[in-house]
Amino acid sequence: MTRPTINDIARAAGVSKGTVSRVLNGHSTVAVRTRAQVEQVMSELNYVPDPAARHLSWRTGQTLGLSTLPGDPLLSPYQVLFRRALEAHTAPAGVQLLDLHGELAQVVRFPSAVLLMHIKPHDTRLDILVARGVPVVLIGHHPQHRWVAPDDQNGAQLATRQLTDVGHRELAFLGTGESQVARDREAGFRAAAQAVGANVFTLPGGFTVLDGYRTVRRAWEGGLRFSGLFAASDEQAVGAATALQDLGLDVPGQVSVVGFDGLPELPLPLRLSTVAQDIPRIAEVALHLVQEALAGDVVRGEYVPVTLQPGQTVAPPPRRLPP
């Protein structure tokens, strides 16, 4: 049996996760009857709190910054889902989320801690935060700082193997770039493709639907041919599939497409084959790491597993590549 979580306790007790957290941390704001109900469920489920987490709680007046790069779409589906997952934990604790969009050099007063999104090599934002003594947690991996990240490389291998397992050997990767996410997902793609001796092509692009559409349409019209495509994001995958269909191709009959993220709502008539991130878990771990940083605990990082979600956009390759 798996170890019960706070989510399990909240569901069984009919209360919010925030209420369970306040019971665990001994807050006096929880009604006596509610506290007793939560404690009874904990006993029935044999719930044992993580001893390293019990001393971690938000203090009054603390703020949390969310740092994104210039050009990052703040209302992208992923960004909205991630922020919603953060607020599920911060709002009950009275912690304010602050958007730090763009460069950090001009910031006069920093929040209590910062979550750093979309890491790139030699990211100057990290240098600024370290110099100012601001506790920081990366959504991405780093050998010297606290971090949490989806298992991008293994996830990309899962996505690519869904193509290679049904026979695809002419493969394209959409989303080559300098970000850590793009590099990790391309590395996973290449590893899985190399394992079966597939021919590979790479296409650059941002993570949006429009990026995917433009890049794939131009590449196909320029003569590039492939039977299977792995896109570094679901949005790119939607753009790619739409471009192929607009060019008169059948998806997945002539070209198969796989995405990455597991977004719940996509503007595509077919259910996209994708690799899903556990966004709520990533947010939960990130906030736990923030509290550890504020408490001065040992630096650590954690990969969050991803899950393959087969859809309707993968099929065996055609006998011949489309003209």
Side-chain angles (χ1 to χ4, degrees), residues 24-285:
L24 287 170
N25 289 304
H27 287 209
S28 60
T29 55
V30 182
V32 174
R33 184 174 180 178
T34 301
R35 182 184 300 278
Q37 180 180 353
V38 171
E39 291 175 343
Q40 179 180 347
V41 170
M42 289 180 182
S43 176
E44 292 173 352
L45 297 182
N46 295 318
Y47 175 74
V48 179
D50 182 352
R54 293 206 61 173
H55 75 284
L56 299 174
S57 61
W58 298 104
R59 295 207 259 306
T60 302
Q62 286 182 325
T63 55
L64 178 62
L66 191 60
S67 174
T68 50
L69 290 167
D72 287 342
L74 297 180
L75 295 180
S76 70
Y78 178 86
Q79 196 74 14
V80 170
L81 290 170
F82 183 69
R83 187 183 181 97
R84 186 182 299 168
L86 290 175
E87 290 175 339
H89 296 276
T90 58
V95 176
Q96 184 181 5
L97 277 181
L98 303 175
D99 286 316
L100 300 176
H101 187 55
E103 302 297 338
L104 299 181
Q106 305 303 318
V107 176
V108 176
R109 184 173 181 179
F110 283 94
S112 307
V114 171
L115 286 178
L116 208 58
M117 306 281 293
H118 306 154
I119 307 304
K120 293 186 176 182
H122 312 297
D123 202 312
T124 58
R125 295 175 299 163
L126 186 55
D127 296 332
I128 291 170
L129 292 169
V130 170
R132 295 288 294 270
V134 180
V136 60
V137 172
L138 283 65
I139 308 301
H141 52 85
H142 196 285
Q144 298 171 330
H145 297 277
R146 293 174 179 85
W147 59 269
V148 58
D151 195 350
D152 286 319
Q153 285 202 32
N154 283 334
Q157 292 189 50
L158 288 174
T160 308
R161 282 201 295 268
Q162 191 180 20
L163 295 169
T164 60
D165 284 351
V166 295
H168 289 276
R169 294 298 183 268
E170 301 293 328
L171 301 176
F173 172 75
L174 172 61
T176 296
E178 64 174 337
S179 72
Q180 188 177 87
V181 168
R183 290 182 289 116
D184 285 354
R185 293 180 189 179
E186 182 177 350
F189 162 79
R190 287 185 177 276
Q194 183 179 6
V196 297
N199 295 321
V200 300
F201 311 95
T202 58
L203 299 169
F207 280 68
T208 70
V209 172
L210 184 58
D211 289 324
Y213 184 93
R214 285 176 171 170
T215 301
V216 169
R217 177 148 194 158
R218 289 169 181 167
W220 196 273
E221 290 177 334
L224 183 66
R225 294 294 182 265
F226 47 84
S227 66
L229 179 141
F230 166 49
S233 75
D234 282 352
E235 291 183 82
Q236 284 176 305
V238 168
T242 304
L244 293 166
Q245 290 170 336
D246 283 356
L247 289 165
L249 297 162
D250 178 64
V251 176
Q254 291 176 290
V255 182
S256 294
V257 177
V258 184
F260 197 120
D261 283 334
L263 299 179
E265 297 179 3
L266 294 169
L268 194 68
L270 300 173
R271 187 175 72 255
L272 180 67
S273 298
T274 185
V275 172
Q277 299 189 46
D278 188 345
I279 296 176
R281 177 59 182 167
I282 293 171
E284 184 178 5
V285 172

Side-chain angles (χ1 to χ4, degrees), residues 2-14 17 20 41 45 47:
T2 59
R3 177 179 174 179
T5 66
I6 287 183
N7 287 335
D8 298 325
I9 302 302
R11 191 179 303 111
K17 290 183 290 184
V20 177
V41 170
L45 297 182
Y47 175 74

